[in-house]
Amino acid sequence: MLLVESMQSISVDNLIKKVLTYQPGADVDMIRLAFEFARDAHEGQVRKSGEPYINHPLATAELLADMKVPTSIIVAALLHDVPEDTIVTVEDIRKNFGDDIASIVAGITKLGKIKYRGIDRYVENLRKMFIAMASDLRVILIKFADRIHNLSTLNALPPHKRLRVALESMQIYAPIANRLGVNEMRAQLEDLAFAHVMPKEYEWVTGLMEQAIRVKKTYVDRVRNIIEQEIKANDIEVLDIHGRVKHKYSLYKKLLKYERDMVQIHDLVALRIIVPKISDCYAVLGIIHQKWKPLKGRIKDYIAQPKPNGYQSLHTTVFCEEGEIVEFQIRTEQMHDEAELGIAAHWQYDEDGKTASPKVRKQMAWVKDLAERQKFLKSGPEFMESLESIKIDVFQNRIFVFTPEGDVIDLPEDATPVDFAYAIHSQIGNTCVGARINDHIVSLDTKLCSGDCCEIIVDKNRTGPNPDWLSFVKTSTAKYHIKSRAKSRLTRWIRNINLESGKDN
Ligand code: MN
């Protein structure tokens, strides 16, 4: 007992130590209080594996501390299972930790109560996830961490339950994490679930990977040392330099594209260099090219021209030592955090008064849009329909289309100029009469492709959208506006009939 007690306090100390590395002024007492509160509430409870229950919220909080989230999320993560699994209520949490923490914990508790099976369960899960996400993003981040820890301790469950949890993680959690740009969590969710959903494939990929890394490790270490010395010799500070190994599930997907041939995969290991300033990024690129010859067409400046999803970095692939091909990725710390943490990086950079990148701004806009539309989500068939369309927005592959001004609009595959118009502004959608794609006049139901430049022709006198557009639009925004316009026209018409028939009586 004493041993367990001391192990726990070591863990909460570790958690606090971690939080202090990125937030030196963090409210340490509050974290310790939350830990003790949760430990007492879960007193006597054990997990399926036999370990004390408190280890689970503690591990969940630690995963979040790795993502450098604010203290409120750490505190709520420690308390996340208290109202559901113990006699202590959300009210008790409110009294001890205030409204903000209580509302996050209440959000997680609501998400936890899902009793549906099969497709109903899937839909119900999605609905709850979207509602939670729209009302408070912090809830969904804790849910991701909670799920990652549960997946990593899945072996304690019977096989049929394991598979259900793993499938749900792959089909619901990972795509949402992906859409929010929380890549680090997306990759963990996928890799942990992969092992249970496709055990044989997982073992195959793991074997290939371990072998490749064994062969490459010494080589990559050597190259890392060479370039680190060189950069320092040029008086540039290196914040971090590490070999990035591809995640298992993404390697698996890539292998399927290349007839399962590992020889064709060149980016299993890449060297990532993190430096303080943007000017340092370009200086490091120059240093690398002075030393090794770059491959033609493989120098990518995603800093000056970010990827359509907002990703920023410099990439180059060179003929390195002994003629081996090596990829380098060079970026600042903020670019790195935003690439790995996505929307979770938002607090870190906004609270500091720095501005978030276009990437994070875009993700925030999506959640805000989702929150906006939640207000209109009602129960019944109408709800199912709107849910269906939101689901499609998340899970479809995305394409990126440019406005004549060079802005990028992010749309689902097979989207049309009408979707594009509504994505810019509802008024443009409502008054759109034609479109030009890459300077050619096209019909409004033409399918857009990634990289197209699209211009919308509007007629200010147009009274509203054509209900026939519903047969080809792909985004929920377009569907929503077309339907609500049609509906308001219908209500007006019915009201007019009523007025007229009233006159008659
Ligand atoms: Mn939990």
Side-chain angles (χ1 to χ4, degrees):
M1 196 63 213
L2 201 69
L3 185 69
V4 170
E5 182 78 23
S6 70
M7 270 167 60
Q8 282 163 9
S9 65
I10 286 167
S11 297
V12 76
D13 287 343
N14 273 348
L15 172 66
I16 288 169
K17 215 197 279 167
K18 224 177 237 185
V19 173
L20 288 175
T21 59
Y22 64 88
Q23 211 184 333
D27 189 344
V28 170
D29 293 341
M30 179 82 123
I31 296 174
R32 204 175 285 282
L33 212 64
F35 166 73
E36 282 159 10
F37 189 91
R39 184 194 53 196
D40 295 348
H42 290 297
E43 172 86 74
Q45 292 176 349
V46 286
R47 301 201 85 208
K48 287 267 173 353
S49 60
E51 60 183 331
Y53 196 88
I54 186 66
N55 288 1
H56 165 66
L58 205 44
T60 305
E62 276 217 35
L63 280 165
L64 287 157
D66 287 334
M67 312 260 314
K68 308 180 187 175
V69 300
T71 318
S72 63
I73 300 183
I74 302 290
V75 169
L78 287 168
L79 300 168
H80 84 268
D81 276 330
V82 166
E84 198 180 339
D85 296 342
T86 76
I87 52 160
V88 181
T89 63
V90 171
E91 247 345 281
D92 298 322
I93 290 176
R94 192 186 314 281
K95 272 180 220 141
N96 285 276
F97 298 93
D99 286 340
D100 189 41
I101 300 291
S103 99
I104 307 177
V105 176
I108 302 160
T109 311
K110 261 189 234 151
L111 264 180
K113 284 179 189 137
I114 294 168
K115 292 191 184 68
Y116 295 86
R117 295 273 161 223
I119 189 72
D120 288 343
R121 182 189 164 104
Y122 178 75
V123 170
E124 185 60 17
N125 255 319
L126 268 182
R127 186 179 73 87
K128 290 196 170 187
M129 293 283 278
F130 286 128
I131 290 172
M133 184 158 64
S135 58
D136 194 335
L137 263 180
R138 295 175 294 180
V139 170
I140 216 75
L141 286 180
I142 296 173
K143 199 65 199 169
F144 287 152
D146 173 51
R147 179 50 66 97
I148 289 169
H149 185 245
N150 283 336
L151 279 171
S152 63
T153 52
L154 213 52
N155 282 327
L157 293 186
H160 68 281
K161 276 195 182 166
R162 264 184 246 170
L163 186 64
R164 180 181 64 65
V165 175
L167 272 175
E168 200 176 68
S169 308
M170 263 201 174
Q171 292 174 346
I172 298 178
Y173 288 68
I176 295 175
N178 184 44
R179 194 66 180 76
L180 294 172
V182 198
N183 281 320
E184 187 44 46
M185 285 183 147
R186 193 239 339 132
Q188 288 191 49
L189 285 163
E190 279 179 352
D191 282 6
L192 288 164
F194 183 29
H196 294 277
V197 175
M198 291 174 264
K200 287 223 173 78
E201 302 287 78
Y202 178 83
E203 255 172 54
W204 171 62
V205 170
T206 308
L208 282 178
M209 199 159 207
E210 278 167 3
Q211 193 193 350
I213 290 171
R214 238 189 340 263
V215 174
K216 278 223 153 185
K217 180 149 188 343
T218 357
Y219 177 78
V220 170
D221 282 348
R222 190 149 58 88
V223 172
R224 193 189 60 207
N225 286 335
I226 295 172
I227 198 63
E228 192 173 7
Q229 294 313 317
E230 201 78 26
I231 297 169
K232 284 182 177 159
N234 279 274
D235 279 333
I236 295 168
E237 189 188 350
V238 178
L239 295 176
D240 190 21
I241 176 164
H242 61 266
R244 162 318 252 127
V245 180
K246 221 172 168 56
H247 290 288
K248 285 179 184 172
Y249 190 61
S250 18
L251 174 62
Y252 174 66
K253 282 193 293 188
K254 194 155 190 180
L255 279 164
L256 291 187
K257 262 195 241 163
Y258 290 96
E259 282 126 22
R260 298 179 173 252
D261 183 6
M262 194 68 167
V263 178
Q264 311 222 32
I265 314 276
H266 293 300
D267 63 343
L268 180 70
V269 183
L271 267 170
R272 216 172 249 164
I273 304 169
I274 321 279
V275 286
K277 297 192 302 274
I278 289 179
S279 56
D280 298 334
C281 295
Y282 289 101
V284 168
L285 183 72
I287 293 167
I288 294 171
H289 286 175
Q290 244 167 25
K291 192 141 193 70
W292 299 299
K293 199 172 145 59
L295 266 74
K296 257 211 181 94
R298 296 292 295 270
I299 309 164
K300 310 263 169 65
D301 184 350
Y302 295 122
I303 293 181
Q305 282 168 319
K307 278 192 188 180
N309 68 3
Y311 172 82
Q312 288 191 299
S313 225
L314 296 177
H315 287 193
T316 185
T317 308
V318 301
F319 294 104
C320 205
E321 298 295 289
E322 295 142 34
E324 283 238 24
I325 293 171
V326 176
E327 182 180 307
F328 287 88
Q329 304 175 348
I330 313 150
R331 42 174 89 158
T332 64
E333 200 166 28
Q334 179 169 358
M335 288 172 195
H336 180 62
D337 284 343
E338 287 177 350
E340 300 283 294
L341 313 179
I343 212 152
H346 141 80
W347 290 286
Q348 212 185 327
Y349 290 99
D350 275 4
E351 282 188 347
D352 286 345
K354 297 181 208 159
T355 41
S357 73
K359 181 184 164 103
V360 170
R361 276 206 301 274
K362 203 165 275 179
Q363 285 150 356
M364 291 304 286
W366 181 68
V367 173
K368 229 177 100 192
D369 177 51
L370 202 59
E372 220 20 69
R373 264 184 283 147
Q374 291 298 336
K375 293 181 196 156
F376 303 102
L377 294 190
K378 306 250 164 56
S379 50
E382 208 179 314
F383 165 74
M384 292 296 286
E385 238 175 77
S386 17
L387 180 70
E388 194 56 35
S389 54
I390 293 175
K391 194 181 90 187
I392 286 166
D393 273 0
V394 180
F395 296 97
Q396 254 173 358
N397 289 325
R398 311 295 294 182
I399 57 167
F400 302 98
V401 179
F402 294 89
T403 68
E405 286 75 34
D407 289 330
V408 180
I409 306 291
D410 164 4
L411 293 163
E413 233 171 16
D414 292 341
T416 64
V418 174
D419 294 297
F420 178 82
Y422 275 108
I424 297 172
H425 195 279
S426 60
Q427 198 47 36
I428 295 183
N430 286 337
T431 54
C432 111
V433 287
R436 269 187 216 106
I437 298 179
N438 308 326
D439 286 323
H440 297 289
I441 298 270
V442 295
S443 64
L444 285 174
D445 62 354
T446 308
K447 287 176 179 164
L448 291 163
C449 300
S450 245
D452 280 344
C453 175
C454 183
E455 188 184 345
I456 298 297
I457 304 158
V458 295
D459 175 2
K460 293 211 170 70
N461 297 319
R462 196 189 166 105
T463 49
N466 182 346
D468 292 346
W469 292 348
L470 285 172
S471 65
F472 59 76
V473 295
K474 289 287 175 302
T475 54
S476 48
T477 319
K479 279 184 192 152
Y480 167 72
H481 285 291
I482 298 167
K483 275 190 205 155
S484 69
R485 267 315 191 88
K487 210 189 277 169
S488 70
R489 231 176 299 165
L490 191 67
T491 357
R492 231 181 357 253
W493 183 67
I494 292 171
R495 204 184 301 133
N496 285 341
I497 292 176
N498 285 343
L499 284 175
E500 276 165 29
S501 56
K503 264 183 243 159
D504 282 341
N505 291 333

